Amino acid sequence: MEFTGIHHLTAVSSRISENYRFYTQVMGMRLVKRSVNQDDVSAYHLFYADAVGSPGTDLTFFDWKVPPEKRGTHSIIRTTLRVNGQAALEWWNEHLRGAGVATEGIHELDGRLTLRFEDPEGQRLALVDDGGAGDPPTPWDRSPVPPEHQVRGLGPIVMSVPELRMTDMVLTGVTNMRPVRRYADPDNPRNTVHVYEMGAGGPHAELHVAVQPELPVVRPGAGGVHHVAFRTPDEEQYHAWGRRLNELGVRNSGEVDRYYFRSLYFREPNGVLFEIATDGPGFAVDEDAATLGESVVLPPFLEPRRAAIVAGLKPID
C-alpha cells in the first residue's frame, strides 16, 4: 500500500484578494473551488489547480487574518510546482520578473532545472522541469499563461526538521515512502536534504526533508504552509490507511468527509501536519465544470447556514 503522489498543499494567506490575483493572473492557475474552511466558516478556502481540479494539481489557501510566519524548522518550507522543459522555465523567469516578482534565476537542484521565488506574502515557491512526468493536467483555456507553459501540478514538497531519525521512521515504517537519494541544502550546504519517493516515483511523488538543526522553531502564520496531503486512489485504500494508522498507534483525526475528497490527518514526529486524501469524488460533484470557482459553494452539511456564512465573507474579485 503506497501513496501515488502529492494530492494538494494548503497554505495560509492574510491578503486573500491579492492572493487570488497572483495565482490566477500571474501564475495562470484556475480557481476551481471558492469555498470556506469547513472548520472555520469565517474564512475562505480557495483551491487553485488545472482546468478541472485534477488530483495532484491543487494549491489551496486558508484566508486567515494572522501575522506573517516566522520562519523556522518543524515546518514545510517550500512548495514546488511542475512545468515541462527548459523553455518553460525561461519563459517563467521572464514572466515573473515582468510581474515584479524577484527570482533566483534558473539553476540545477537535485538534478533538475529549478526556478525559486516567493509570492507577495513570502510563500516560498519553486518551478521545476518535470520532463513531462506525472499525470497530464488539463490546460485552462482562459489562463494568461500559454498552454505549453502552464503549471502542470505539484512537484516535490520540502519540509524542515532539526533531526531526521523519528521522521524517517514514520515515513518509511508507516507511510511506506522510500529514501532514494540526498543532496546539499541550497540554503546551507552543510546541511543535507533527504529525498523520499512514493508510488512510481518522479517529481510529482516526492517529499524532500531538509535537516536544519540550526533553525529556530517555526511560528506559523501568513505566507506559511498549513499541511500537505498525499494521494490515495480509492475508498478501499483510504479505509486501509485509517486501519494502519490505528494499528501502529499513530494518533490521527479519524476519517473526515470533505465532500470533494475523503481525508485523514496526522502529525509526523516533528509536528508537520500530513493528510491522506482520496482522488475523488472531485470538484465537479456540486458545480458545472465550465463555471468552477465562480461562486461560493458549500458542502451539504453547511448549506443550511449559507446566508450567514456568505454574509461574513468579503468579495475577493
Side-chain angles (χ1 to χ4, degrees):
M1 190 165 62
E2 293 182 299
F3 302 137
T4 57
I6 307 296
H7 186 281
H8 68 268
L9 180 133
T10 296
V12 178
S13 171
S14 65
R15 306 198 300 263
I16 203 66
S17 292
E18 184 178 5
N19 176 277
Y20 169 77
R21 289 191 294 271
F22 180 79
Y23 285 95
T24 59
Q25 297 175 17
V26 177
M27 298 305 298
M29 302 174 77
R30 185 182 185 186
L31 179 64
V32 294
K33 191 61 61 177
R34 186 187 305 237
S35 193
V36 296
N37 183 317
Q38 294 181 15
D39 303 313
D40 174 12
V41 298
S42 68
Y44 279 111
H45 189 183
L46 303 186
F47 295 74
Y48 306 104
D50 71 352
V52 296
S54 303
T57 69
D58 303 324
L59 179 57
T60 93
F61 287 87
F62 293 148
D63 166 31
W64 284 340
K65 301 301 184 286
V66 294
E69 176 190 59
K70 183 178 179 181
R71 293 178 177 178
T73 189
H74 298 277
S75 66
I76 292 171
I77 58 172
R78 192 169 297 272
T79 303
T80 304
L81 303 169
R82 297 179 289 111
V83 296
N84 186 7
Q86 182 173 348
L89 284 176
E90 291 172 349
W91 184 91
W92 274 102
N93 195 34
E94 293 302 314
H95 172 69
L96 289 169
R97 290 179 174 177
V101 178
T103 78
E104 297 182 12
I106 299 168
H107 61 278
E108 186 173 303
L109 180 63
D110 186 33
R112 300 181 182 123
L113 291 178
T114 302
L115 178 66
R116 303 203 312 174
F117 61 102
E118 298 178 5
D119 82 359
E121 292 184 88
Q123 187 73 231
R124 286 171 283 184
L125 302 170
L127 292 164
V128 65
D129 175 12
D130 70 358
D135 295 341
T138 302
W140 181 33
D141 59 7
R142 286 186 285 164
S143 173
V145 176
E148 66 272 20
H149 298 328
Q150 287 181 24
V151 170
R152 292 170 41 79
L154 291 163
I157 303 303
V158 187
M159 59 181 279
S160 171
V161 299
E163 194 274 332
L164 182 66
R165 184 176 65 87
M166 295 300 292
T167 295
D168 175 81
M169 289 176 61
V170 167
L171 295 182
T172 59
V174 176
T175 69
N176 295 326
M177 295 188 195
R178 305 179 299 276
V180 290
R181 62 184 181 276
R182 305 174 183 180
Y183 62 94
D185 183 346
D187 297 314
N188 184 348
R190 291 175 296 178
N191 294 335
T192 300
V193 182
H194 300 254
V195 179
Y196 295 80
E197 70 176 13
M198 56 202 92
H204 61 291
E206 291 178 357
L207 180 66
H208 293 202
V209 183
V211 180
Q212 300 176 318
E214 75 283 1
L215 295 184
V217 176
V218 68
R219 185 187 69 194
V225 172
H226 188 267
H227 66 268
V228 60
F230 306 113
R231 292 176 65 178
T232 193
D234 53 44
E235 295 273 340
E236 180 180 358
Q237 291 196 39
Y238 167 67
H239 297 313
W241 278 112
R243 292 192 297 270
R244 180 172 176 81
L245 293 178
N246 290 332
E247 289 166 0
L248 293 174
V250 178
R251 294 181 61 184
N252 65 87
S253 64
E255 296 187 355
V256 180
D257 185 354
R258 295 301 190 194
Y259 191 55
Y260 309 109
F261 43 83
R262 312 290 185 254
S263 298
L264 279 164
Y265 300 87
F266 66 99
R267 292 189 184 273
E268 56 80 43
N270 278 289
V272 175
L273 183 59
F274 289 165
E275 178 183 350
I276 301 170
T278 59
D279 279 356
F283 293 120
V285 69
D286 60 354
E287 286 189 277
D288 187 307
T291 57
L292 287 175
E294 293 182 9
S295 59
V296 175
V297 294
L298 302 173
F301 77 93
L302 289 178
E303 273 297 339
R305 300 166 57 192
R306 169 174 284 275
I309 290 171
V310 173
L313 300 173
K314 295 180 179 180
I316 60 171
D317 53 355

